[in-house]
């Protein structure tokens, strides 16, 4: 039976799609049979981040409406084994997703996958509610910035009251906090919220801290999930995050300012 | 940071991150209390209570207030306030 992971945030532009792509790829690299679904109907972008935009024939809504079957719509990743992408429809609107339709597709996917990663759209409307409804695990993506933290708190409220697990009175969704675009230098200077402050406010266990990194933009330019850039700080931080979601203990990296040597202090760099 | 920068930097007087944290703590606590302390049944409960009181005393809905307070994790207080009309 598959576990369903929703990558959510409330606020837009905090890195949900980057995170969905990285976590799904990371799980597949760890040998888990994984499918990642784009729930952003009308504004699909996961295909671009995964680098499979030219291979999209059928989409999520086609499958729900019975216009295509799953094997026709799923795109197999060319780099990593055990990884599939289910793209969003670009032409319909968010009302195309129904609870029954989504539930049926997820049930079918659960038969032969270990993890189903749901990339939520921003906001708290139908598409975002559908992405979180069936979740077993939530990755709450947050930037160290007031509006993002506040929106994350609202989404946490939704996870706890509007999900299937909440409605059926089951064990609650397992929540993981992921802080993205973190700049330790600015935190040290006192003009950016620290990891400690954010975890204290949201009271959700921390699964990862992704540093602000040029590697993320470079990865999206090339259509390569950033976790495949194993040399980069962001790639390594995502690999640690995946390990923590799988229950492993990892020390947090890239959260403190690296101490510079005497020479680089004088000459810069 | 090079040597020149080292002399140029002046520490900011206000640490804006602390201000951000304080503001967030207040607004998040407020928004949580709104979503946790008002269960769905509260409006209906208020109407039902009003119906019962109306049987005996002539009151209007604005003379009855029903509030649920979460004092701590184990204690919730349902507070009912009725302003009785003067004869």
């Amino acid at each position: 039976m598959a576990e369903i992971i929703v990558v959510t945030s409330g606020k837009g532009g905090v890195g949900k799609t980057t995170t969905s792509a990285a976590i799904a790829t990371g799980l597949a690299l760890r040998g888990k049979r994984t499918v990642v679904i784009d729930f952003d109907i009308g504004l699909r972008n996961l295909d671009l981040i995964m680098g499979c935009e030219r291979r999209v024939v059928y989409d999520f809504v086609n499958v729900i409406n019975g216009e295509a079957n799953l094997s026709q719509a799923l795109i197999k990743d060319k780099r990593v084994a055990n990884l599939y992408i289910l793209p969003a429809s670009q032409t319909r609107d968010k009302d195309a997703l129904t609870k029954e339709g989504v539930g049926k597709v997820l049930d079918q996917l659960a038969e032969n996958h270990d993890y189903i990663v749901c990339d939520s759209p921003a906001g708290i409307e139908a598409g975002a509610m559908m992405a979180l409804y069936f979740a077993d695990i939530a990755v709450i993506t947050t930037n160290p910035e007031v509006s993002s933290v506040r929106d994350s708190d609202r989404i946490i409220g939704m996870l706890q009251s509007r999900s299937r697990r909440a409605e059926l009175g089951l064990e609650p969704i397992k929540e993981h906090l992921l802080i993205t675009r973190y700049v330790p230098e600015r935190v040290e200077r006192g003009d950016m919220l620290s990891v400690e402050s954010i975890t204290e406010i949201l009271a959700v266990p921390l699964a990862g801290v992704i540093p602000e990194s040029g590697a993320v933009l470079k990865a999206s330019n090339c259509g390569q999930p950033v976790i495949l850039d194993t040399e980069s700080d962001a790639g390594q931080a995502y690999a640690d995050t995946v390990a923590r979601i799988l229950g492993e203990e990892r020390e947090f990296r890239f959260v403190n300012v690296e101490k510079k040597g005497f020479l680089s202090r004088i000459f810069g760099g | 940071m090079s040597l020149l920068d080292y002399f140029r930097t002046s520490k900011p007087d206000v640490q804006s991150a602390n201000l951000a944290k304080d503001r967030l703590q207040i607004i998040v606590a407020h928004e949580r209390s709104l979503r946790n302390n008002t269960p769905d049944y509260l409006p209906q409960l208020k109407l039902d209570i009003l119906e019962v009181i109306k049987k005996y005393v002539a009151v209007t809905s604005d003379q009855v207030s029903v509030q649920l307070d979460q004092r701590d994790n184990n204690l919730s207080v349902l507070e009912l306030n009725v302003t009785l009309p003067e004869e």
Side-chain angles (χ1 to χ4, degrees), chain A residues 85-97:
Chain A
I85 300 115
L86 183 55
S89 167
Q90 189 69 309
T91 52
R92 322 280 178 104
D93 61 58
K94 57 189 187 305
D95 299 327
L97 298 181

Side-chain angles (χ1 to χ4, degrees), chain A residues 42 59-60 83 90 97 111 151 155 158 173 176 187 193 200 207 216 219 232 249 259:
Chain A
D59 59 56
F60 193 15
L83 180 59
Q90 189 69 309
L97 298 181
E111 285 169 19
D151 290 357
I155 278 292
M158 305 281 178
I173 295 176
H176 294 286
V187 173
L193 284 162
E200 188 188 328
V216 173
S232 70
E249 294 256 343
K259 293 283 174 272

Side-chain angles (χ1 to χ4, degrees), chain A residues 260-269, chain B residues 1-6:
Chain A
K260 282 182 177 171
F262 177 69
L263 286 178
S264 63
R265 248 175 218 277
I266 291 177
F267 297 112
Chain B
M1 195 162 51
S2 71
L3 190 60
L4 277 177
D5 293 330
Y6 198 79

Side-chain angles (χ1 to χ4, degrees), chain A residues 204-242:
Chain A
V204 171
L206 185 66
V209 180
I210 313 299
E212 173 80 64
S213 167
V216 173
L217 182 59
K218 228 192 293 176
S220 73
N221 286 341
C222 311
Q224 292 259 14
V226 69
I227 199 168
L228 292 175
D229 185 355
T230 51
E231 302 286 300
S232 70
D233 47 1
Q236 292 172 14
Y238 271 119
D240 288 352
T241 304
V242 170

